[in-house]
Amino acid sequence: MSKQYVMGLDIGTTSAKAVIFTKHGDVVSEAEVGYATLHPAPGWCEQDPLEIEAAAIEAIHTAMTRSAIDKEAIISVGLSSAMHSLICVDAANTPLSPSITWADGRSAALADELRATDIGERIYLATGTPLHPMSPLLKLLWMQENKYEPYLKAAKFLSIKEFLTSRWFGEDAVDYSIASATGLFNIYTRQWHEEALSLASIRENQLSRPVPATHLFTGLDVDIAEQMRLDPNTPFVAGGSDGPLANLGIGAINPGETAITIGTSGAIRQMSAAPHTDSRQEVFCYAFTDDLWVLGGPTNNGGNVLEWLKNTIGHAELTAALETQQDPFDVLIDAANQVAPGADQLLFLPYLNGERAPHWDASARGAFIGLCSTHTSHHMARAGLEGVLYAILSVAESLEALTGETEKLYANGGFARSEIWVQMLADMFGREVHLPVSHQSSAWGAAWVSLYAVGEVTDLRAIKQSIPMKGVVVPDMEKHEVYRKMFEVFREMYGVVGGSVRKLQRV
């Protein structure tokens, strides 16, 4: 049988997704398996790495069997994962700790302290990783300060993707973009950063060998291969983190091409031919390949805001959805769309889970600004959806200060399934928004890197010819003018209420 399919395995924040594509980017099979997130203490966010491993294996198995894909038909598997996870393991790759995720906030006080120092600025300028509790560097500092037993006993420190590849292939290797997101990796030299390692009191041999995105993992464990329904000779390719791979998978590769992803959280990113960091420390810059870097900023709040709105003010919409067998989120967004842009001068700061870019403030909190007696739940829903996009626009301003103006806007992630929400994005940015057919852009980016690594395609940028696109959303410039004026107020509000929020938290 000829090898005709390629797989992307995406280890996300809440689930593992295996997607099987043709070489032209058409999805032929996919499967998703979720896993739990645990909060054993306030601000802590942990997952079971063995549960994630089982979910990844099951997702691949299900994707293979669901469409009766023969194992001999798979060319290669590309790997993608969420950033900033950290697991303490022993020499045999047995976990000594949970996987501590990007959302963990236990090191918030340490992050604030380090950000205010010269050494903190030097580490950011070299590594491109903002000083925030998401960073494995800060997690390690917390472990060191608190004499965390798994840290003291660890032979190695791995991300969730390294954990899987180390167990499946017996090789400790980490791609540049996952390494970059640790705060321990110099994005200019593409080597571990000695000053950061010294600060965390760890040795270079406790970390994996940095490798390019095209690095091949071969010799898949026979038992694991059988569980996956794959040939053990199937090459796996290192790929990268979900951010740059989403840009690649959506076609946002050239200067001025910007990708916006909104799932549970959100991000905006551009690829660059050179690294960029500056003393403002507002955006990240991560290495991807030897000649490509990704710049951007994540926001903690995206689809979680819609979930919160549904649960707090969306009771009528939830009831209507049950009666009509509709998706309650669609009903809530339809209700919000009954309100004019700007929600009748109502603003929502969407910082329900603190905020990352551009403020990097784990203590930030949400707020409605301008609420009055004429506002309804529909106004609040509209303001909530707009608030998520205003936060993305705030990051876009910081990003454009380093990379130049956005020329072409792409969107993917769960929010891209909503025509209304994407139209809001186009109107707010005043730009056309280009949408792919598949929302699995990170998986397709990973799959394409694997095709490049095994010689099936000639270069990474050629993916632009193999991305099935759904269409273009055109902005309404009259609505854009309303949003422009509202955003002028929004950008002031963090500074206005931030001090009061911090005082409130000390009451």
Side-chain angles (χ1 to χ4, degrees):
M1 173 175 289
S2 64
K3 294 186 180 297
Q4 53 190 313
Y5 302 126
V6 61
M7 182 185 299
L9 175 64
D10 185 18
I11 310 300
T13 301
T14 59
S15 65
K17 296 181 282 288
V19 190
I20 300 175
F21 303 89
T22 69
K23 288 190 282 187
H24 300 291
D26 298 310
V27 174
V28 295
S29 186
E30 59 184 301
E32 181 172 1
V33 180
Y35 28 80
T37 299
L38 306 175
H39 304 279
W44 293 28
C45 193
E46 301 178 344
Q47 294 175 327
D48 180 347
L50 296 177
E51 182 184 357
I52 295 175
E53 180 184 33
I57 293 170
E58 183 182 346
I60 292 176
H61 172 98
T62 303
M64 292 292 290
T65 56
R66 178 169 286 163
S67 296
I69 305 294
D70 190 286
K71 63 183 179 181
E72 298 295 335
I74 298 296
I75 300 165
S76 55
V77 180
L79 299 172
S80 166
S81 76
M83 294 175 277
H84 312 300
S85 57
L86 182 67
I87 310 165
C88 304
V89 303
D90 66 15
N93 297 314
T94 301
L96 303 176
S97 76
S99 176
I100 303 175
T101 80
W102 66 266
D104 191 276
R106 72 187 72 180
S107 61
L110 288 169
D112 290 341
E113 292 172 12
L114 186 58
R115 194 181 300 114
T117 66
D118 289 342
I119 187 174
E121 181 173 340
R122 286 199 306 273
I123 286 175
Y124 166 76
L125 291 175
T127 68
T129 306
L131 300 167
H132 183 271
M134 70 180 184
S135 164
L137 168 62
L138 271 299
K139 295 175 172 69
L140 289 167
L141 293 179
W142 180 92
M143 292 176 180
Q144 179 185 25
E145 182 172 279
N146 290 274
K147 297 180 171 59
Y148 185 60
E149 188 172 350
Y151 164 85
L152 299 174
K153 293 182 175 179
K156 298 183 289 188
F157 302 98
L158 305 177
S159 72
I160 187 60
K161 182 145 72 86
E162 295 162 75
F163 177 74
L164 299 185
T165 52
S166 293
R167 287 169 65 87
W168 295 350
F169 298 94
E171 179 185 1
D172 296 332
V174 58
D175 65 84
Y176 293 157
S177 58
I178 289 292
S180 292
T182 64
L184 302 162
F185 185 77
N186 188 311
I187 59 173
Y188 295 86
T189 65
R190 292 183 292 279
Q191 299 294 326
W192 296 114
H193 186 57
E194 291 183 7
E195 188 172 21
L197 267 59
S198 176
L199 186 65
S201 296
I202 64 171
R203 305 181 306 277
E204 185 172 337
N205 64 7
Q206 290 179 288
L207 301 174
S208 300
R209 177 170 59 96
V211 296
T214 52
H215 177 77
L216 292 173
F217 292 99
T218 57
L220 178 62
D221 181 273
V222 173
D223 290 338
I224 297 295
E226 184 176 350
Q227 294 176 54
M228 291 176 172
R229 296 294 189 266
L230 288 178
D231 185 326
N233 295 315
T234 304
F236 280 56
V237 176
S241 64
D242 52 6
L245 289 173
N247 272 56
L248 180 64
I250 206 173
I253 308 167
N254 298 322
E257 296 178 341
T258 301
I260 292 176
T261 303
I262 302 177
T264 303
S265 57
I268 180 169
R269 301 170 304 272
Q270 272 194 32
M271 304 295 274
S272 172
H276 299 278
T277 53
D278 68 8
S279 59
R280 292 178 303 170
Q281 303 185 42
E282 292 181 338
V283 299
F284 63 69
C285 180
Y286 301 145
F288 177 46
T289 66
D290 287 331
D291 57 2
L292 279 176
W293 287 257
V294 61
L295 289 89
T299 170
N300 280 3
N301 305 281
N304 65 306
V305 171
L306 186 58
E307 175 78 21
W308 178 79
L309 290 167
K310 182 198 74 175
N311 294 336
T312 52
I313 64 169
H315 303 301
E317 287 73 28
L318 184 57
T319 299
L322 290 171
E323 291 175 353
T324 59
Q325 296 186 327
Q326 291 180 270
D327 186 317
F329 294 113
D330 291 341
V331 176
L332 183 61
I333 292 172
D334 285 341
N337 200 41
Q338 296 173 23
V339 176
D344 288 342
Q345 291 76 53
L346 181 63
L347 279 172
F348 179 65
L349 302 187
Y351 310 135
L352 300 181
N353 290 336
E355 188 53 296
R356 287 183 285 172
H359 308 300
W360 304 103
D361 183 1
S363 67
R365 292 295 179 266
F368 281 102
I369 310 294
L371 195 63
C372 69
S373 60
T374 59
H375 288 131
T376 67
S377 62
H378 293 181
H379 290 86
M380 297 170 75
R382 176 96 195 188
L385 296 175
E386 291 176 345
V388 170
L389 301 181
Y390 287 133
I392 292 285
L393 185 55
S394 297
V395 186
E397 281 198 328
S398 298
L399 179 60
E400 289 181 348
L402 289 174
T403 63
E405 189 174 354
T406 293
E407 297 176 3
K408 195 170 184 179
L409 200 59
Y410 295 82
N412 73 323
F415 98 112
R417 303 176 204 178
S418 168
E419 293 181 7
I420 294 171
W421 210 355
V422 173
Q423 185 66 57
M424 288 184 195
L425 175 70
D427 297 343
M428 191 173 291
F429 275 70
R431 297 278 184 188
E432 292 183 347
V433 178
H434 299 257
L435 296 170
V437 171
S438 171
H439 62 279
Q440 304 288 13
S441 297
S442 293
W444 179 226
W448 188 266
V449 171
S450 78
L451 290 176
Y452 177 55
V454 299
E456 287 283 331
V457 298
T458 56
D459 65 66
L460 292 180
R461 286 179 173 82
I463 194 175
K464 282 179 169 289
Q465 310 306 316
S466 298
I467 303 173
M469 299 300 290
K470 181 162 47 178
V472 177
V473 179
V474 178
D476 182 322
M477 298 309 290
E478 290 185 9
K479 293 178 180 178
H480 172 68
E481 187 61 22
V482 173
Y483 284 132
R484 187 188 64 78
K485 293 176 181 177
M486 291 290 289
F487 181 65
E488 289 176 3
V489 182
F490 178 89
R491 69 153 67 93
E492 298 172 359
M493 285 298 100
Y494 168 78
V496 170
V497 305
S500 297
V501 167
R502 282 184 282 275
K503 287 181 183 177
L504 186 63
Q505 291 170 355
R506 293 193 293 268
V507 171

